[in-house]
Amino acid sequence: MKDYAKVLNEYWSGHKDEESFSSIVNESEFWFQEASDLMNLWLSYDVDNLDSLINMDYKDFKQSDDSKISKIRELLFQIVSFCDSHAYNGDIYNPSRKILAKAMVRQNNWVENLLKCRRGDDIKNASSVKNAVQYLLNPLKNLTMLSVNHRKKFSRNVLQKNLDESTFCNEVIEFCQNALPRIYLKNEQNRTLLYCKLIYGIENEWLTSSVKGLIARDSGDWQKNHVGEFFSCVGWDEVSSFNEIKDDLRVLIEENGSFPYYNISGNETNYCGTVVDFSESKEDFNNRKEEWKEKISGTWYDSFEDYGKKGNPKIILLFKNFEKLEKRLSIDQFRFYNKQPSVKNMVAFTNILASKREQDKDMHNMMEILKQKKNVILQGAPGTGKTYKTAELALKILGEDVDGFETRSELMKLYRQRIDEGRIAFVTFHQSMDYESFVEGLKAVPVKDDNGKVVGGVSYEPRPGIFKTICDVARGNKDPYILIIDEINRGNISRIFGELITLLEPDKREGEMNEVKAKLTYSQLDFTVPSNLYIIGTMNTTDRSVGSIDYAIRRRFAFKTLVADRTVVESDNDDTVRGLALPLFDSVKKFLDKHKVDMNIDDLMVGHSYFLAKDIPELNMKWEYEILPLLQEYYKDGIIKAEPASSTIQGFIESVN
């Protein structure tokens, strides 16, 4: 289990001097004092027509010229501007931009539930609003984590229990107090705000969701009626495991602005839509319909029930851009949250893989090469997946069934487990690596008498290196053993292997027709390489700090080049990131193809992993601190003859195209 306390502590140590944290620590007043004063004012406000305001249509409330309603409206809108970053006219009502959270609660829901709070109602069905009210009234005992979905995930992933709202805030406060050193704040009321900002600083560690979008099987003709409409609505009667996934779908919209919907016909996708909002009940639909209605130019139904075939839809989707697909995906490329989609059941999907047929064929070929040659090197530019493919190949050689894994982390976890068990050995070559550290060296030991007493002086005894150790273990067993050599081209092969290089060849292994034995330098023992040891090397082909790989090793290894895969950038990013990541990927490739010095080099393209991000800010970070420096390094090393013209993604794309 991940040590989240350690993660939080390390994050604080690395970021405590940043303005966003130091300003809270050094603030003498309660950070949200103005918002707290407004909330207290509202809860004691004299309202003589409260019931009628609660029952009033929001549109009428928003446009009313009545002076009493106008004063209430201004007060409520100002409160909301402190609670939610998406509040109506937030910049006007809250110029300080001190905001509790990105709650993504609609303005009409804020207004309705704040009115109910004033009446004394228990707004348990509006948890984000309720959590905001409780925090502003008592910040010492409550949190700015307003979303119940976020609370569920933090409870499950970090606290290792199901959410209990009655104890959650106390549990989080206690967790942070135990995880962090004692932090002195000028105003103690700002402590829980600081804790929440730290928690969201490591949100990638706990706020995770496997759901990527929705998919349904339907060969009808309704889809074509929505093509070309900028906004459109579609209802669906059944959604598999909807109660389990709806919060994750909402988070996708909150964080990315949308999620994709795919339609399947004949086991292939034929239509795709971008879902920017959805409604799950009649009440929810009534809260959203005025906003939706203004956007839709095509067919519109004013009733929630009219969108379902049986008058009771499970979900209504608001699409922005619904299109027919030219490039189709096979249903086999999708990983489903629960079961496969049917004409009745819409389901969530967790991943879209590259074509399984292509994946299987490629992996099968690599396995056959490795089984025959015994030694293979996976080469390619940074970010092309060499490390992951090495782990996958090694596990398959060991006989592990890894095809059912939905995430890379699952496969890598098994890979590390096999390393711990000794089935896989791992070493990284470097320029100071030698025979003594890889095959066999000498270890100084103190001289002892017959009784084991140290009598002075030292003697030198042979000590096995990682290569001899894995060979000895493999030799005494029959399923196979793997040696991974990372950055194999950075080592001096002749100095590392010595005369043992010949023993790597398949026909010269132990028990084979042309078995060759060699005497080890220090122990003078006869040594062979067992046939059940497979060696997988990795090589960064853009690293020009080392020369070309030794011909002796090149002749004894098979080579597989991994290239940057555009389809991974397309499938593993959400719609928002994809819209910028794909043009960036294409522009980098175009730039390298145009400016590379040696036209025979075909493996310079930056790997696809550099173009994968959870959001646009992360993609910008990858561009600024990973991709751009790599391109600049190419230029300095003389690999390309031009330097990137701009330091921004958009500027670079425009300069190339």
Side-chain angles (χ1 to χ4, degrees):
M1 186 181 74
K2 186 184 291 291
D3 188 347
Y4 289 99
K6 181 180 179 181
V7 172
L8 189 69
N9 190 300
E10 290 177 348
Y11 183 81
W12 166 247
S13 297
H15 296 80
K16 61 184 177 182
D17 295 328
E18 293 180 3
E19 173 65 20
S20 59
F21 295 115
S22 62
S23 59
I24 296 174
V25 171
N26 297 317
E27 177 59 61
S28 58
E29 293 186 352
F30 173 42
W31 191 264
F32 292 107
Q33 189 60 56
E34 184 178 357
S36 180
D37 292 342
L38 290 169
M39 184 64 75
N40 279 289
L41 173 62
W42 167 239
L43 294 179
S44 62
Y45 200 89
D46 185 17
V47 187
D48 56 9
N49 57 344
L50 191 54
D51 290 342
S52 60
L53 286 176
I54 292 174
N55 294 322
M56 180 182 288
D57 186 272
Y58 174 72
K59 188 175 182 181
D60 294 334
F61 175 84
K62 187 177 179 181
Q63 297 175 351
S64 176
D65 293 329
D66 183 280
S67 59
K68 290 185 177 180
I69 295 178
S70 296
K71 289 181 180 179
I72 292 173
R73 180 177 63 227
E74 293 302 294
L75 175 56
L76 294 183
F77 280 10
Q78 194 172 4
I79 291 173
V80 177
S81 71
F82 282 94
C83 296
D84 195 341
S85 61
H86 293 271
Y88 172 72
N89 279 345
D91 292 336
I92 297 174
Y93 288 106
N94 178 13
S96 74
R97 302 311 288 151
K98 288 185 174 181
I99 305 168
L100 267 68
K102 184 173 69 174
M104 291 294 287
V105 177
R106 293 176 173 273
Q107 193 80 4
N108 58 324
N109 287 339
W110 276 111
V111 169
E112 177 187 352
N113 287 290
L114 287 173
L115 287 167
K116 289 181 177 179
C117 268
R118 176 62 188 85
R119 192 170 65 180
D121 295 2
D122 181 6
I123 53 171
K124 59 183 180 181
N125 292 326
S127 56
S128 292
V129 180
K130 183 175 183 178
N131 291 333
V133 174
Q134 291 178 334
Y135 172 78
L136 290 176
L137 296 180
N138 187 1
L140 288 171
K141 298 293 185 180
N142 292 283
L143 305 170
T144 58
M145 185 188 292
L146 305 185
S147 166
V148 69
N149 181 58
H150 289 191
R151 293 185 175 207
K152 286 179 180 178
K153 287 186 178 295
F154 192 86
S155 290
R156 185 165 57 246
N157 296 333
V158 180
L159 303 179
Q160 294 292 301
K161 57 175 292 187
N162 292 328
L163 174 64
D164 182 345
E165 283 284 9
S166 65
T167 60
F168 176 76
C169 292
N170 287 336
E171 290 167 346
V172 173
I173 293 170
E174 182 180 357
F175 168 80
C176 292
Q177 288 174 337
N178 292 333
L180 299 167
R182 181 167 177 79
I183 304 171
Y184 172 77
L185 286 83
K186 286 191 175 180
N187 191 311
E188 190 63 23
Q189 291 185 97
N190 293 324
R191 184 170 296 279
T192 55
L193 169 63
L194 177 67
Y195 286 166
C196 283
K197 284 188 72 69
L198 287 170
I199 286 170
Y200 278 105
I202 62 165
E203 65 179 53
N204 288 341
E205 302 286 343
W206 60 270
L207 188 58
T208 56
S209 169
S210 60
V211 173
K212 296 289 183 65
L214 293 174
I215 184 169
R217 188 192 297 272
D218 194 332
S219 57
D221 60 358
W222 61 266
Q223 299 90 349
K224 64 183 180 183
N225 297 325
H226 295 275
V227 175
E229 293 183 355
F230 195 52
F231 284 96
S232 58
C233 276
V234 172
W236 207 268
D237 285 347
E238 297 292 337
V239 182
S240 180
S241 304
F242 182 63
N243 288 332
E244 298 175 25
I245 66 170
K246 64 180 180 181
D247 286 339
D248 288 334
L249 294 176
R250 187 62 66 194
V251 169
L252 288 174
I253 292 177
E254 289 176 5
E255 297 183 347
N256 306 320
S258 64
F259 62 79
Y261 160 86
Y262 287 94
N263 195 88
I264 292 282
S265 178
N267 289 330
E268 286 187 328
T269 57
N270 57 349
Y271 290 92
C272 179
T274 301
V275 180
V276 294
D277 204 356
F278 67 89
S279 177
E280 59 185 273
S281 67
K282 182 177 181 180
E283 180 183 12
D284 188 41
F285 178 74
N286 289 337
N287 287 332
R288 302 171 189 273
K289 69 178 183 181
E290 291 302 323
E291 179 185 340
W292 288 13
K293 189 175 182 180
E294 292 177 2
K295 297 178 178 179
I296 293 177
S297 58
T299 303
W300 171 259
Y301 302 115
D302 223 32
S303 169
F304 179 78
E305 293 82 358
D306 288 339
Y307 286 93
K309 294 180 180 179
K310 299 178 181 178
N312 186 28
K314 179 68 72 175
I315 191 172
I316 300 177
L317 305 174
L318 176 65
F319 287 112
K320 179 183 179 181
N321 297 331
F322 197 88
E323 59 181 348
K324 188 170 185 178
L325 296 174
E326 296 296 328
K327 182 180 179 181
R328 298 190 171 196
L329 300 172
S330 167
I331 194 171
D332 293 333
Q333 292 177 248
F334 288 86
R335 289 290 176 263
F336 304 112
Y337 179 82
N338 193 344
K339 51 188 173 183
Q340 283 203 12
S342 67
V343 176
K344 294 182 179 180
N345 261 358
M346 178 185 289
V347 305
F349 66 87
T350 59
N351 202 2
I352 305 178
L353 307 175
S355 169
K356 192 172 188 308
R357 182 181 300 173
E358 294 174 3
Q359 283 184 323
D360 289 347
K361 181 179 179 181
D362 190 51
M363 180 54 68
H364 176 75
N365 289 340
M366 276 195 281
M367 287 183 65
E368 290 303 309
I369 291 172
L370 184 55
K371 286 177 180 178
Q372 294 176 21
K373 192 76 173 178
K374 303 291 184 182
N375 317 303
V376 68
I377 290 176
L378 305 183
Q379 62 180 358
T384 50
K386 296 186 294 295
T387 299
Y388 179 77
K389 192 61 72 174
T390 297
E392 184 181 17
L393 181 57
L395 289 173
K396 278 186 169 289
I397 288 293
L398 293 183
E400 302 287 354
D401 180 12
V402 298
D403 294 331
F405 288 161
E406 292 190 0
T407 64
R408 294 191 171 202
S409 61
E410 290 179 305
L411 184 141
M412 295 305 293
K413 180 179 179 181
L414 179 60
Y415 171 65
R416 288 188 288 269
Q417 183 179 333
R418 294 295 176 262
I419 290 178
D420 293 341
E421 294 170 354
R423 296 293 305 281
I424 301 174
F426 182 92
V427 63
T428 299
F429 275 8
H430 47 80
Q431 291 169 337
S432 61
M433 174 74 76
D434 55 19
Y435 177 94
E436 281 73 18
S437 54
F438 183 64
V439 181
E440 184 186 62
L442 291 176
K443 179 182 180 181
V445 295
V447 176
K448 300 179 181 179
D449 61 20
D450 294 340
N451 297 320
K453 183 179 179 180
V454 176
V455 295
V458 295
S459 64
Y460 293 89
E461 297 178 357
R463 180 189 62 181
I466 190 170
F467 181 59
K468 182 178 184 299
T469 299
I470 189 69
C471 285
D472 290 344
V473 174
R475 188 178 295 110
N477 294 275
K478 292 184 178 180
D479 297 330
Y481 283 76
I482 309 290
L483 173 62
I484 309 290
I485 304 178
D486 195 32
E487 301 282 4
I488 193 171
N489 56 323
R490 294 191 64 84
N492 184 321
I493 302 299
S494 297
R495 186 172 69 183
I496 295 172
F497 278 95
E499 73 279 8
L500 304 185
I501 191 71
T502 302
L503 278 62
L504 298 181
E505 297 177 30
D507 66 321
K508 296 180 175 64
R509 299 282 188 103
E510 183 178 298
E512 299 297 334
M513 183 189 315
N514 299 314
E515 176 186 317
V516 173
K517 294 182 180 180
K519 282 197 178 294
L520 296 177
T521 302
Y522 297 106
S523 65
Q524 288 297 297
L525 295 173
D526 286 339
F527 181 78
T528 59
V529 176
S531 290
N532 61 332
L533 176 67
Y534 298 87
I535 302 176
I536 306 174
T538 67
M539 188 169 84
N540 179 2
T541 51
T542 64
D543 187 352
R544 297 306 191 254
S545 65
V546 293
S548 58
I549 195 166
D550 191 304
Y551 180 75
I553 200 82
R554 184 171 290 278
R555 185 164 64 85
R556 291 171 171 89
F557 277 75
F559 285 77
K560 170 66 177 178
T561 301
L562 303 182
V563 298
D565 189 345
R566 189 180 190 275
T567 63
V568 175
V569 182
E570 185 174 13
S571 63
D572 283 15
N573 282 317
D574 63 53
D575 289 348
T576 305
V577 177
R578 186 186 303 122
L580 187 59
L582 284 176
L584 178 60
F585 180 94
D586 294 338
S587 297
V588 170
K589 187 175 189 309
K590 186 175 181 180
F591 174 79
L592 290 173
D593 287 344
K594 180 179 179 181
H595 295 295
K596 61 186 178 183
V597 173
D598 185 351
M599 291 300 161
N600 293 319
I601 298 177
D602 59 359
D603 54 3
L604 283 182
M605 179 55 191
V606 180
H608 42 263
S609 69
Y610 284 84
F611 301 88
L612 304 179
K614 72 176 188 300
D615 52 29
I616 295 299
E618 183 181 352
L619 184 64
N620 281 318
M621 291 282 287
K622 285 197 168 188
W623 163 254
E624 185 176 355
Y625 296 106
E626 297 180 31
I627 304 173
L628 182 59
L630 186 58
L631 297 180
Q632 292 169 334
E633 198 67 30
Y634 283 0
Y635 174 69
K636 292 175 185 176
D637 288 347
I639 301 172
I640 56 176
K641 54 191 175 185
E643 194 171 11
S646 175
S647 61
T648 66
I649 291 180
Q650 202 59 50
F652 175 77
I653 292 173
E654 292 173 1
S655 70
V656 172
N657 298 292

